[in-house]
Amino acid sequence: MAGTSPIYRGNLHSIGQVGSLVRIPQGLVDLVATVNKVSITESVTDSEMTAAQIDDERGLRVELIGQIDRGTEQFQRGVGSYPGLNDPVHFTTSSDLKSIFPLSDGERFRAGCLSVDEDIPVTLNAEQLVVQHAAIVGSTGSGKTSAVSSLLQNFVKEGWNASNIIVIDPHGEYATALEDIASVLSVFADGDAQLRVPYWALPAEEILEIFVGGQPNKTFQNRFEELITEARGDFAKEAEWLDIDPTAVSSETPIPFDIRSIWHKIDAENRETRQVTDDPETACQTDPGDAGDLEPAQYEPYGPAGQPPNKGPKYNHYGNSPEHLRLGLLDPQLRFFQRPLGDPTGEDPLVEVTKGWLGGEKPISVLDFSGVPNQTADIAIGVVLDLLFELALRSDADGRGIGRPSPVLVVLEEAHRYLSDSADGLTRDAANRIAREGRKYGVGLLAVTQRPKELPATALAQCGTLISLRLTNSEDQGTIKAALPDTVTGIADVLPSLRTHEAIISGEAVELPVRAFLDKPNPWPEAEDPSLEPWRSNPEAPDVEDVLTSWRDIYQ
């Protein structure tokens, strides 16, 4: 055929596009193959190169992927026969493609349309996408955030209204796109919209990493763990909703305690002076301070040359660590760690917290960690992932709970931050545990990243479905090529030339690997590049007064 875009039955057909499909008739079936390479061969007919004659021959390299039964017009993966030499190869028509790509139904939902034929929808198997894990990869600007928003919007639109989808949003991009179908919890919101990750759900070491940072004084750390263990045990004795042996409580048991009281006690020990060093009754306290308001106790200065008051037995043993802890507790960016506190006579506060993480009655929950220091946000995300997996692990398949009785899908933006070796220990372990074991317990993972090269090979290998948008980095391209099936690695050659919102979809959730345009979200997420149109307006000094006021308000 002379052209590569013939008109057939009123439709324009592209021939020879990498990722497109061709049909090879074989009796009662038509073999279907995907194009993974286009080439021109040059053959020189005169070996002496005298009056060289060059013949150009265009060719396609294809991989057989299935067959269409002409009688039933049903598509089947795999082939029962192979084509012979000189068998004709046909382009696929719309009717052929409709036999191959199923429509949305009770098991599938729409993701987009074929790149070569916008009238043919591309659908994904919901169960395979959720339970078998998936990954969306693409360079910055390729449309990753829009792709996630569109998929989640279509997912709910197709009828999965009781889903448990949790979007980990480190940059605050998804609220506008999903607010109509999602519960949005933000670190700096007020009331029921505030994201809460109680500090007492963490081990003592992680609590110090959040509020103190760096490497705290070792003596201080040991004393902190000792007092936490004691405080958790005391709460366990009083709590009417807890059924646990107080002697089995450790500094890592997720039981509420008052961290401010512990700070006040340690800080007082660090400041205390006494008339008689060994007699606590002779403490020279001038002001008891207030633990709740984070006001330290005050003491008379110790006397010079051994004169009373004397230094207390633990005077300055903890260095600056108590003051660093106080400043951390005062930091408004860390306020979301301090709620809820827990009441021995009330109900288990973790029940309401986890209900909030799961979105309540909404099918999607967006956990917005924007504005929080990366290290702190990573720890909080690790707590969320770890607790959700533990709940799924302990939920019976025929009972209530999450996981096997009701699967959970975790959408992990910036997945390389949490899965790589450089991630915080708690977060890395929790995220990789979901990647390795989540499918057994009904916890699915949708990893979203612009750097697939930085994902652990084990985590990427666990993803049953791969949605690859444009990738410009050669290392990232190599990682995705290695993850694709051998039969379609040729398609990966087009990764750097894919258009925005165009992707190669392969794996368990699709009938066969396909090059597709993903649907655009409505409404859009806040991930698009800003416009330069304001630069064309009349020059004037930027007004940042309201912005500064809003920024200062978070410190009140």
Side-chain angles (χ1 to χ4, degrees):
M1 182 170 285
T4 57
S5 298
I7 296 177
Y8 177 73
R9 293 183 178 175
N11 293 320
L12 188 68
H13 294 265
S14 297
I15 299 176
Q17 295 285 324
V18 173
S20 64
L21 301 176
V22 294
R23 179 171 54 87
I24 308 172
Q26 296 287 299
L28 297 178
V29 299
D30 287 343
L31 303 183
V32 178
T34 182
V35 178
N36 58 26
K37 187 175 183 180
V38 181
S39 63
I40 296 179
T41 61
E42 297 180 347
S43 58
V44 180
T45 59
D46 187 347
S47 60
E48 299 293 330
M49 294 299 291
T50 58
Q53 179 184 356
I54 300 177
D55 297 327
D56 291 345
E57 295 182 359
R58 291 175 294 171
L60 303 177
R61 188 176 71 184
V62 302
E63 293 286 348
L64 296 173
I65 53 177
Q67 60 187 33
I68 301 174
D69 187 303
R70 288 188 177 183
T72 63
E73 295 186 349
Q74 294 295 312
F75 174 76
Q76 178 184 359
R77 290 293 297 269
V79 297
S81 61
Y82 291 86
L85 295 175
N86 295 322
D87 279 353
V89 179
H90 300 255
F91 61 81
T92 50
T93 64
S94 294
S95 60
D96 296 326
L97 295 174
K98 288 177 181 178
S99 299
I100 299 172
F101 296 100
L103 300 175
S104 301
D105 55 23
E107 298 180 352
R108 312 182 70 86
F109 69 99
R110 179 184 167 99
C113 62
L114 289 180
S115 294
V116 295
D117 191 337
E118 296 183 1
D119 292 331
I120 305 300
V122 174
T123 61
L124 302 179
N125 183 293
E127 183 173 329
Q128 296 296 328
L129 182 77
V130 172
V131 180
Q132 299 296 325
H133 298 335
I136 297 179
V137 302
S139 299
T140 300
S142 62
K144 293 187 306 300
T145 305
S146 299
V148 174
S149 300
S150 172
L151 288 176
L152 296 183
Q153 289 171 359
N154 288 351
F155 195 88
V156 175
K157 194 183 301 181
E158 296 286 349
W160 281 275
N161 299 316
S163 309
N164 293 317
I165 301 175
I166 301 172
V167 180
I168 304 297
D169 186 5
H171 304 302
E173 297 174 319
Y174 288 98
T176 55
L178 303 175
E179 59 184 354
D180 292 338
I181 55 176
S183 162
V184 180
L185 301 181
S186 174
V187 169
F188 295 114
D190 296 319
D192 293 339
Q194 184 182 50
L195 174 59
R196 299 176 296 169
V197 183
Y199 63 81
W200 47 262
L202 283 74
E205 184 177 349
E206 300 288 350
I207 296 173
L208 288 179
E209 187 172 345
I210 292 171
F211 292 112
V212 178
Q215 293 293 328
N217 181 296
K218 189 64 178 177
T219 305
F220 170 78
Q221 183 173 340
N222 292 337
R223 180 60 171 157
F224 185 75
E225 291 182 1
E226 177 186 340
L227 291 176
I228 278 185
T229 303
E230 180 181 321
R232 292 192 200 267
D234 291 342
F235 191 96
K237 293 176 184 177
E238 299 178 22
E240 300 173 356
W241 46 270
L242 266 177
D243 184 17
I244 187 173
D245 183 358
T247 61
V249 173
S250 71
S251 65
E252 299 185 357
T253 309
I255 293 176
F257 68 91
D258 184 1
I259 191 173
R260 297 190 175 211
S261 295
I262 289 178
W263 160 78
H264 193 261
K265 184 175 182 63
I266 294 179
D267 185 76
E269 292 175 355
N270 204 47
R271 297 170 179 265
E272 187 180 34
T273 59
R274 297 176 180 178
Q275 290 291 338
V276 180
T277 303
D278 296 333
D279 185 1
E281 298 296 327
T282 63
C284 301
Q285 187 179 82
T286 59
D287 185 344
D290 188 294
D293 292 334
L294 293 172
E295 296 177 358
Q298 302 295 328
Y299 293 85
E300 295 180 21
Y302 64 87
Q307 296 296 315
N310 302 307
K311 297 178 181 179
K314 296 181 180 178
Y315 185 89
N316 205 33
H317 276 205
Y318 309 131
N320 293 326
S321 294
E323 179 62 11
H324 290 162
L325 175 57
R326 186 181 78 89
L327 294 176
L329 292 170
L330 286 170
D331 190 342
Q333 296 182 88
L334 306 179
R335 198 173 294 155
F336 74 102
F337 277 110
Q338 301 182 53
R339 299 184 180 94
L341 297 177
D343 182 355
T345 60
E347 297 180 349
D348 187 347
L350 271 184
V351 173
E352 289 303 314
V353 168
T354 52
K355 283 182 179 179
W357 293 348
L358 290 165
E361 296 181 355
K362 293 291 186 75
I364 300 174
S365 174
V366 177
L367 306 186
D368 180 2
F369 289 91
S370 60
V372 180
N374 283 348
Q375 184 178 13
T376 302
D378 290 356
I379 294 174
I381 290 167
V383 174
V384 173
L385 298 180
D386 185 61
L387 185 56
L388 289 175
F389 185 83
E390 290 292 339
L391 292 175
L393 180 66
R394 288 163 174 76
S395 296
D396 294 330
D398 55 352
R400 302 175 64 184
I402 60 173
R404 283 168 291 193
S406 181
V408 174
L409 175 64
V410 177
V411 180
L412 196 58
E413 263 283 357
E414 300 281 353
H416 56 278
R417 265 178 55 181
Y418 315 112
L419 289 162
S420 67
D421 293 336
S422 60
D424 171 78
L426 174 66
T427 309
R428 182 184 63 247
D429 293 345
N432 278 283
R433 192 180 182 193
I434 290 176
R436 292 193 310 269
E437 307 174 38
R439 64 178 63 185
K440 294 187 293 186
Y441 303 105
V443 182
L445 176 67
L446 176 56
V448 185
T449 180
Q450 68 266 31
R451 291 308 314 271
K453 176 67 171 61
E454 297 182 12
L455 291 179
T458 302
L460 192 58
Q462 294 293 330
C463 294
T465 302
L466 190 58
I467 301 176
S468 306
L469 293 107
R470 183 175 60 250
L471 283 170
T472 54
N473 184 279
S474 58
E475 291 184 340
D476 293 328
Q477 294 172 24
T479 300
I480 295 304
K481 287 180 181 180
L484 289 172
D486 293 339
T487 55
V488 295
T489 51
I491 299 181
D493 292 335
V494 304
L495 283 173
S497 59
L498 292 174
R499 293 161 289 183
T500 303
H501 306 301
E502 187 177 22
I504 295 172
I505 308 176
S506 64
E508 303 294 336
V510 286
E511 289 297 306
L512 51 91
V514 62
R515 183 173 173 178
F517 261 123
L518 301 178
D519 287 342
K520 296 178 181 179
N522 183 25
W524 287 78
E526 291 186 358
E528 298 303 303
D529 295 333
S531 170
L532 291 183
E533 190 60 32
W535 284 16
R536 294 183 178 275
S537 58
N538 295 327
E540 60 180 350
D543 184 359
V544 296
E545 181 178 351
D546 292 342
V547 178
L548 286 173
T549 301
S550 176
W551 178 35
R552 291 189 179 107
D553 283 347
I554 69 174
Y555 289 91
Q556 295 182 5

